[in-house]
Each structure stands twice: as structure tokens, then as C-alpha cells.
Amino acid sequence: MPVVGYMSARSADDSARLVAAFRQGLAEAGYVEGRNVAIEFRWAEDQNDRLVALAADLVRRQVTVIVADSTPGALTAKAATPTIPIVFCLGSNPVELGLVASLNRPGGNVTGITSINAQLAAKRLELLHQLVPTATVVALLVNPTSPNLAETTAKDLRAAARTLGLQIHVLHASTERDFDTVFATLVQLRAGALVIGSDAFFDSRSELARLAIRHAVPTIYQFREFAAAGGLISYGGSYTDPFRQAGIYTGRILKGEKPVDLPVQQSSKVELFINLKTAKALGINIPNTLIGRADEVIE
């Protein structure tokens, strides 16, 4: 029975929906866990420094395919093996990261699925500026343990901020203990809005939404979960669809296809969620045109 090594930067609890979507994709490709494929899970528990050991363990185990669900995980997996097929699922540009030679011709042993999340950072800033035009000082929150992603996002937002005439400050958080310091710093900087950078660590952190409400800071992130937890607005690619597609790709590799022959797929679905209750609490008037574009208005 072939073995899939699923290496996650997240925890098992935070990954339940994503793993379910991955298993769905595997099933669509003809593979059901326990019947004709085994899956060995490795969880970094939001500590990216654990990924090297997790990847090395899967390589020693000689799994058939490695699945990596984050930018740091994909880079670590590629560094760990030039031969075992790797399927990534991430929200950044794999060509710029050096994971693949090109989207159409990945080359090597790596391919996967991207969602348009990191690329939408500038658009998130624009949306927030539209809602809070009086906020001339804004902040960006990134995870310093994902340096490639953090640096790319900061570069994009600095460029967008210059275009919009905004002053931007980059803040760091890699553990939940950092969040209180981040919001205390926002007060000191008199920042009127916050953009949360794309990163697996932030995906299931409802505490960020609660702190944004407590400190009355208009904040935007990428997934519905953030707006549902009380965040002002979420705008980004689908949370689960890329993982279903990653499951399909994994199944195709199990059937004998090579990563070099599988172009990197981009999940193009983009979703907008607005928390109208939070907007009212912050005294923000959401334009009807934006409400009309929303996939869901949370009241």
C-alpha cells in the first residue's frame, strides 16, 4: 500500500477541514485511506523550526509522496529530498520561491496547487483604505519564521502604501503570546487599520479577531473564519478548494504520473466576507456596492 506523508505547519485540530478536503480529492482520484492508501501525518504545531525534522522523518520512512501545506513546509520538503514527489498547497508564488522552474513546466520532483492569497495583499490594503479612508497610518502583521513569505508581503504592501499615500509599519508575531504586544504597538503607532499577512499560523487564530474588536482596529485577513470570529472583512482565495485539488494531484502521482508532467494549478476562486455587526461597532459604513459583491454578509 502506498504511503502519503502529509506534513503540516499547523496542528491537527486546526487542519480538520483542510484534511477533509484533501481526502475528498484523493477519493476523487480513486484512493481511500485505509483501503488502498495510507497517510502518515506530521504536525509542526505552528512551530516552523520543527519542519526540518518532520521532513527528514518522512524521507527516512521512504513515503511515496510528500504533501506540504505551507510555504515553509514546501521549501523544507524540497531541501530534504530531490527524488520523492512533493505536492505543495500554498498561497504564494512558487516560481519566485524557487520551488518550481515555471508553472507550466515545474521541473524536478515538485508540483502543487496555489491559491491567490499572498498576491492579494495589496488588494486587501486597498479595500481597507476604501473602508477607512481617514486612516493614514496602517500596519501589516507577518510571521518572521516564514521569512520568504513575510518579506514578499511586506515589499508588496510598502509599494501599495506608497501608491495610496499611506504610512505602513511591519509588525511580527510567531506565537499567540506576541498578539498582545502587537496590538499595544498599534496603539503606540496610532495605526488606524491592520492588514494580516497570509500565513498558515494566522489561519485559525480567532484571538486576532477578538483583539481587533477590543482595540477597535479595522482589520482584514484572507479567510471567512476571520470575519466569522468578528474580524471586519475577509478577502482571499478559497480555504479548502486548493486542498481538494492537492488530493487529486497526489492521487495522480500515486497512479504513476510525475510531478514534472503536472503543471502547477492555481485555485482562482476568490471570496469576500463582511462582518456588518463589527462594521457598525467601529462606526464604518460599508458601501452597498461592496456588500453586493460579498459572498456573505455576517450580521
Side-chain angles (χ1 to χ4, degrees):
M1 186 180 294
V3 178
V4 173
Y6 188 106
M7 186 174 75
S8 175
R10 301 170 172 85
S11 67
D13 289 343
D14 291 341
S15 299
R17 287 181 60 210
L18 305 180
V19 171
F22 176 76
R23 286 187 171 118
Q24 178 187 343
L26 264 182
E28 290 177 26
Y31 287 90
V32 176
E33 184 181 8
R35 183 185 303 168
N36 56 357
V37 67
I39 306 177
E40 291 203 3
F41 292 95
R42 300 290 186 273
W43 309 104
E45 304 283 348
D46 300 314
Q47 298 182 48
N48 287 336
D49 56 356
R50 292 183 177 180
L51 290 168
V52 172
L54 298 184
D57 182 42
L58 292 175
V59 172
R60 281 194 300 270
R61 176 71 175 79
Q62 295 184 332
V63 296
T64 313
V65 185
I66 293 176
V67 176
D69 74 347
S70 67
T71 295
L75 290 168
T76 301
K78 182 177 181 180
T81 174
T83 55
I84 297 175
I86 297 167
V87 176
F88 58 71
C89 191
L90 45 84
S92 45
N93 188 320
V95 178
E96 292 180 357
L97 293 168
L99 283 167
V100 296
S102 71
L103 298 182
N104 289 331
R105 299 178 179 273
N109 63 318
V110 182
T111 188
I113 316 297
T114 67
S115 58
I116 46 178
N117 276 320
Q119 300 96 314
L120 293 175
K123 182 62 178 178
R124 291 188 193 101
L125 180 61
E126 291 175 18
L127 281 171
L128 208 51
H129 179 59
Q130 178 184 349
L131 296 178
V132 197
T134 57
T136 57
V137 179
V138 298
L140 165 68
L141 180 62
V142 297
N143 180 1
T145 67
S146 303
N148 302 80
L149 194 53
E151 291 166 11
T152 300
T153 304
K155 179 182 175 182
D156 291 347
L157 252 71
R158 286 190 179 106
R162 284 194 296 271
T163 301
L164 297 170
L166 303 175
Q167 181 182 355
I168 191 162
H169 296 274
V170 180
L171 307 180
H172 295 158
S174 56
T175 70
E176 288 192 357
R177 294 188 301 274
D178 297 329
F179 293 161
D180 286 330
T181 301
V182 165
F183 280 88
T185 305
L186 287 174
V187 173
Q188 294 171 4
L189 295 172
R190 298 184 179 179
L194 172 66
V195 178
I196 300 175
S198 300
D199 193 274
F201 170 62
F202 299 134
D203 287 354
S204 301
R205 295 292 171 268
S206 57
E207 180 66 15
L208 282 170
R210 290 193 290 270
L211 285 168
I213 296 170
R214 185 189 311 165
H215 292 274
V217 179
T219 306
I220 188 168
Y221 191 47
Q222 59 189 18
F223 297 129
R224 181 191 181 278
E225 283 74 6
F226 178 75
L232 175 62
I233 188 169
S234 297
Y235 181 73
S238 170
Y239 192 40
T240 55
D241 186 62
F243 284 80
R244 183 187 65 82
Q245 294 187 47
I248 293 172
Y249 255 27
T250 300
R252 290 177 65 177
I253 290 172
L254 292 175
K255 289 180 178 178
E257 294 189 62
K258 305 295 184 185
V260 70
D261 298 321
L262 295 173
V264 174
Q265 298 291 317
Q266 185 174 74
S267 177
S268 58
K269 185 178 182 181
V270 178
E271 300 172 327
L272 172 65
F273 301 96
I274 299 169
N275 191 313
L276 208 56
K277 180 180 179 181
T278 298
K280 290 177 180 177
L282 294 172
I284 295 173
N285 181 39
I286 306 292
N288 288 332
T289 52
L290 198 60
I291 290 178
R293 287 172 48 197
D295 291 85
E296 181 183 355
V297 176
I298 299 168
E299 300 184 73

